[in-house]
Amino acid sequence: MKNRKRIVDLVLGDKIRQTFFIKEAEFRLRRDGKTVDGFFKLTDSSGEIEAVYWDLSEQKIAQIEKMELAQIEGQVSKKRSGGQMQISIKTIEHAPESTWEDFIPSTSFDIEQIMQGIDDKIASITHPHLKALLDSFFKDAVLLEKFKKSPAAKKLHQAYRGGLAEHTLNVCQICETICQIYPQISRDFLISAALLHDIGKVEEYQLRGIIDHTDKGKLIGHIIMGAEMIEEKIKLIKDFPEDLAMMFKHTILSHHGKLEFGSPKLPSILPALALFYADDTDAKLNGLVCLKEENKYLDKKWSDWIWWLERPIFLAEDNIIKESGNRSEE
Ligand SMILES: [Fe+2]
Ligand SMILES: [Fe+2]
């Protein structure tokens, strides 16, 4: 991995010899009925690039089919169709499976600073039972390590290492503002629920070159998993009030706000409704920020259709605001 160049930094003509994760591999037979070419999608922590390997032997195909991490030697060239960059592969060998997580992007914020923000929120909680519940999670060193690495999603929002911690703190900040505008809402209750609302995600995803769901994540999902984890911890806390436990679990179970978004119950108390809106606000805004970033270098005014917004997005907004500001200064 020494002197490796990240995918986003590769330029035309670069000669490379480094490890990538093989996200997709496709083998196509040419019209001559004999020659097979390999087409790949390769990733590292910075992004994704296509690659091509012309004229593969049967033996090489069998080897590649077993590879996940590959040591690749080649050169950055341009695709004939479309003109995008791709890697023309000269050699491809199996790479040791030691550094899976190096191939997953990370939060752009300092994870220790995010965790400090989360610690400050926990320290601000004065309700004894809610404080004990938070401590039972965030003082567990094994769980904490998982929490720091977890993404918040596979795609849509904060889909990177540290994404869960970043999203959790953002949701807490939005909830703080809601509590200032609506002091009728119990701050201790809402912030505690915000801190734990996605805790099930520590078991929902696995990082193996790409972010993927675990079997448990696919079969049960983080909402129910989180509620179960909370129930287990509550059982160990002496005299945890039953009604408080019921309302807390309701708030976790209803945080996606709608049955079709995976919540088995709809938010039926004030903090549960507040948490749903705070969660949705951060997920959607972050999703859109990430989408704009991905489209940054493309010369398009409109994004493709975004399924989770059910619309395409106008991408020229920043230029229009900036240029109109410059004009008014002249
Ligand atoms: Fe969630
Ligand atoms: Fe969330």
Side-chain angles (χ1 to χ4, degrees):
M1 300 280 279
K2 244 187 197 176
N3 301 326
R4 64 168 294 142
K5 235 182 175 183
R6 300 180 315 152
I7 286 176
V8 282
D9 299 326
L10 291 175
V11 292
L12 204 62
D14 272 349
K15 287 191 172 147
I16 51 129
R17 183 179 153 71
Q18 61 199 54
T19 307
F20 296 98
F21 177 75
I22 303 178
K23 190 180 169 192
E24 278 176 40
E26 195 191 330
F27 304 101
R28 289 186 215 148
L29 186 65
R30 281 192 214 164
R31 278 196 202 143
D32 65 10
K34 286 184 289 187
T35 320
V36 177
D37 301 316
F39 297 88
F40 305 92
K41 278 189 181 159
L42 306 175
T43 62
D44 68 8
S45 65
S46 74
E48 187 176 308
I49 190 164
E50 290 186 23
V52 62
Y53 193 144
W54 305 117
D55 196 3
L56 283 158
S57 68
E58 244 176 70
Q59 192 195 6
K60 199 77 208 170
I61 292 171
Q63 280 175 12
I64 295 171
E65 278 175 334
K66 287 189 205 129
M67 283 180 206
E68 289 179 291
L69 292 183
Q71 170 82 10
I72 285 174
E73 199 181 335
Q75 189 161 18
V76 180
S77 60
K78 252 188 186 177
K79 263 173 95 168
R80 250 176 272 157
S81 58
Q84 303 107 306
M85 286 206 297
Q86 66 175 11
I87 293 174
S88 302
I89 301 175
K90 274 197 198 124
T91 66
I92 178 166
E93 300 296 337
H94 172 80
E97 298 179 6
S98 57
T99 50
W100 287 113
E101 286 164 15
D102 289 351
F103 296 84
I104 311 272
S106 281
T107 171
S108 53
F109 297 100
D110 178 349
I111 187 69
E112 294 310 326
Q113 264 182 23
I114 296 173
M115 292 313 294
Q116 185 58 56
I118 285 178
D119 284 348
D120 292 346
K121 294 286 171 218
I122 297 168
S124 72
I125 303 297
T126 55
H127 189 294
H129 295 101
L130 294 173
K131 178 77 168 53
L133 181 61
L134 293 172
D135 284 347
S136 71
F137 281 98
F138 290 100
K139 286 198 172 165
D140 175 341
V142 177
L143 184 122
L144 210 55
E145 272 317 295
K146 283 189 191 170
F147 182 82
K148 277 160 76 171
K149 281 183 190 167
S150 280
K154 189 176 161 178
K155 276 185 190 149
L156 207 151
H157 69 100
Q158 283 115 337
Y160 37 73
R161 274 189 296 161
L164 176 59
E166 182 190 309
H167 168 63
T168 299
L169 186 57
N170 288 354
V171 174
C172 284
Q173 310 284 36
I174 296 167
C175 287
E176 291 283 15
T177 305
I178 292 175
C179 289
Q180 281 166 15
I181 302 169
Y182 289 100
Q184 299 89 337
I185 301 174
S186 159
R187 180 191 170 277
D188 269 7
F189 187 93
L190 181 55
I191 297 298
S192 302
L195 285 163
L196 291 175
H197 82 281
D198 273 341
I199 197 70
K201 285 185 176 172
V202 298
E203 304 288 348
E204 188 171 38
Y205 301 107
Q206 57 185 347
L207 309 178
R208 234 183 116 72
I210 51 167
I211 298 170
D212 207 354
H213 284 96
T214 57
D215 291 341
K216 203 174 175 188
K218 272 188 194 159
L219 291 171
I220 297 173
H222 75 275
I223 298 182
I224 306 286
M225 280 150 65
E228 283 175 354
M229 289 161 80
I230 288 165
E231 183 154 280
E232 273 172 35
K233 297 283 190 192
I234 283 176
K235 276 189 203 154
L236 302 174
I237 300 170
K238 199 169 170 268
D239 299 330
F240 198 101
E242 238 177 75
D243 289 350
L244 185 68
M246 176 181 70
M247 289 207 308
F248 201 84
K249 279 190 280 173
H250 167 76
T251 305
I252 302 301
L253 289 171
S254 64
H255 84 262
H256 279 201
K258 290 185 179 172
L259 304 178
E260 60 267 37
F261 295 158
S263 268
K265 283 285 159 195
L266 304 183
S268 304
I269 54 172
L270 198 50
L273 196 67
L275 178 63
F276 158 57
Y277 285 122
D279 182 41
D280 198 50
T281 299
D282 186 57
K284 295 261 165 61
L285 291 181
N286 182 274
L288 212 52
V289 166
C290 293
L291 190 123
K292 284 186 67 183
E293 192 61 29
E294 283 163 23
N295 282 273
K296 203 162 72 177
Y297 298 112
L298 301 180
D299 193 18
K300 336 197 261 194
K301 256 191 180 176
W302 288 90
S303 74
D304 294 335
W305 180 261
I306 306 168
W307 63 269
W308 48 272
L309 283 176
E310 297 179 326
R311 76 203 81 148
I313 284 296
F314 187 58
L315 295 164
E317 54 165 322
D318 296 331
N319 283 344
I320 291 175
I321 296 168
K322 204 169 135 200
E323 279 167 24
S324 59
N326 289 345
R327 271 203 301 276
S328 60
E329 274 172 24
E330 281 164 10

